[in-house]
Amino acid sequence: MPRPTRDEAAQLDDLALGLLDVIPAETRRFAAAALCECDAAPRGLVRRLAEESVEIGAPLLVRSRALSDVDLIALIARQGVPHARAIARRDELNPVVAALIRALLARAETDPPPAAAATPPEEAGNALEAVRGQLRILMQDGAGEEEEGSAPLSSTPADPYPAIREAALSGETRRFAEALAAALGLTVARARSLIDGVTYSDLLFALRALELSPEQAFVLAAAAYPAQVTNPAAIRLFHVRYEALPAAAALEKVQAWRQQDRSDRATAAQSLTRVK
């Protein structure tokens, strides 16, 4: 399909990720090329393909808007110079990410001969420290890293619903995401993806993990995805799905998100220590 809908993209994400490890490289290369300019790109599949070798993932590294700045930093930290060179070809690349790439490529070109460095050590150290400082700010803004985001679910208020409801009904996406992140122990970026995704499927897990009643969960889901719960059949479907979702499965899902958030922050932080 030349123009898949957002729902179709979500279905592709669910179906393709389980098959990715068993399909040939040529198919993965075709998928990366097909998805690189897709407006409703499935984020999970895009991220997985971007982690492939540059021969496969280059179209995504160069053109895909589904990869955030934090995604790009994590890819550079994990995959190194080949991915950095491909990412450097992106249009309108964040200046901080561009500075990181220049620093890494310069180090790759000058290592190991120490005598080749023309810049005095003090000036070079100051420049690299400036890049590291900018990256810290970028990761905090982009990934929403906060102390609350590391708190276990058991430390959240006994009834987080009033605060989340107030934030949801304010109409401010950032405020809604912050309230949800604080209640679930997730990063703000993760919480925002739950309320600004293709469907409310992931949000369903988050609300169930908070042990909200179906009516409370519906209010929050309707605030985030009003177009998807506009008729009695859609509302009935939401209630059926919510009540059928086991609380244990929802908690397990949220815990997996929290672990992934920590892993992403740690991976991105590696880029700070590598620029030395």
Side-chain angles (χ1 to χ4, degrees), residues 6-21:
R6 290 168 67 88
D7 286 345
E8 288 164 345
Q11 292 175 349
L12 176 61
D13 222 354
D14 292 339
L15 295 171
L17 287 175
L19 301 172
L20 197 61
D21 293 334

Side-chain angles (χ1 to χ4, degrees), residues 50-274:
E51 291 179 350
E52 298 275 351
S53 65
V54 172
E55 290 74 16
I56 292 174
L60 296 170
L61 299 174
V62 175
R63 290 191 290 275
S64 177
R65 297 302 172 190
L67 296 172
S68 68
D69 291 332
V70 174
D71 290 332
L72 298 176
I73 293 173
L75 284 166
I76 293 169
R78 281 195 295 264
Q79 308 298 335
V81 171
H83 276 60
R85 288 198 173 105
I87 291 170
R89 294 161 51 194
R90 293 173 69 93
D91 293 332
E92 300 178 1
L93 183 63
N94 186 304
V96 179
V97 180
L100 168 65
I101 293 173
R102 286 195 299 271
L104 290 177
L105 295 182
R107 192 192 68 171
E109 291 173 359
T110 57
D111 278 352
T119 306
E122 289 185 5
E123 294 183 16
N126 292 337
L128 293 177
E129 184 56 39
V131 172
R132 286 195 290 272
Q134 289 176 314
L135 282 169
R136 292 187 188 100
I137 295 172
L138 177 63
M139 285 189 291
Q140 288 168 358
D141 291 342
E145 183 176 356
E146 299 176 356
E147 291 299 324
E148 294 87 346
S150 300
L153 295 180
S154 59
S155 69
T156 59
D159 184 9
Y161 176 69
I164 303 175
R165 180 190 59 196
E166 182 180 353
L169 298 181
S170 71
E172 300 177 14
T173 303
R174 174 75 183 186
R175 185 179 171 188
F176 189 1
E178 288 174 345
L180 195 60
L184 289 166
L186 300 171
T187 62
V188 174
R190 173 73 67 178
R192 184 156 189 157
S193 73
L194 301 180
I195 62 176
D196 193 25
V198 177
T199 71
Y200 61 72
S201 296
D202 282 344
L203 179 61
L204 212 64
F205 283 92
L207 301 179
R208 191 72 177 90
L210 291 172
E211 299 183 353
L212 302 181
S213 71
E215 291 73 21
Q216 290 174 330
F218 176 77
V219 169
L220 300 182
Y225 298 93
Q228 296 185 25
V229 286
T230 56
N231 57 69
I235 296 172
R236 187 181 307 111
L237 176 61
F238 174 87
H239 278 261
V240 169
R241 292 183 62 186
Y242 186 78
E243 292 177 334
L245 179 61
L251 288 170
E252 183 178 351
K253 184 80 166 180
V254 171
Q255 182 61 25
W257 286 334
R258 296 179 69 221
Q259 291 175 349
Q260 183 62 53
D261 287 345
R262 287 194 294 268
S263 175
D264 288 346
R265 288 197 299 267
T267 302
Q270 291 178 11
S271 62
L272 303 181
T273 60
R274 291 176 63 184

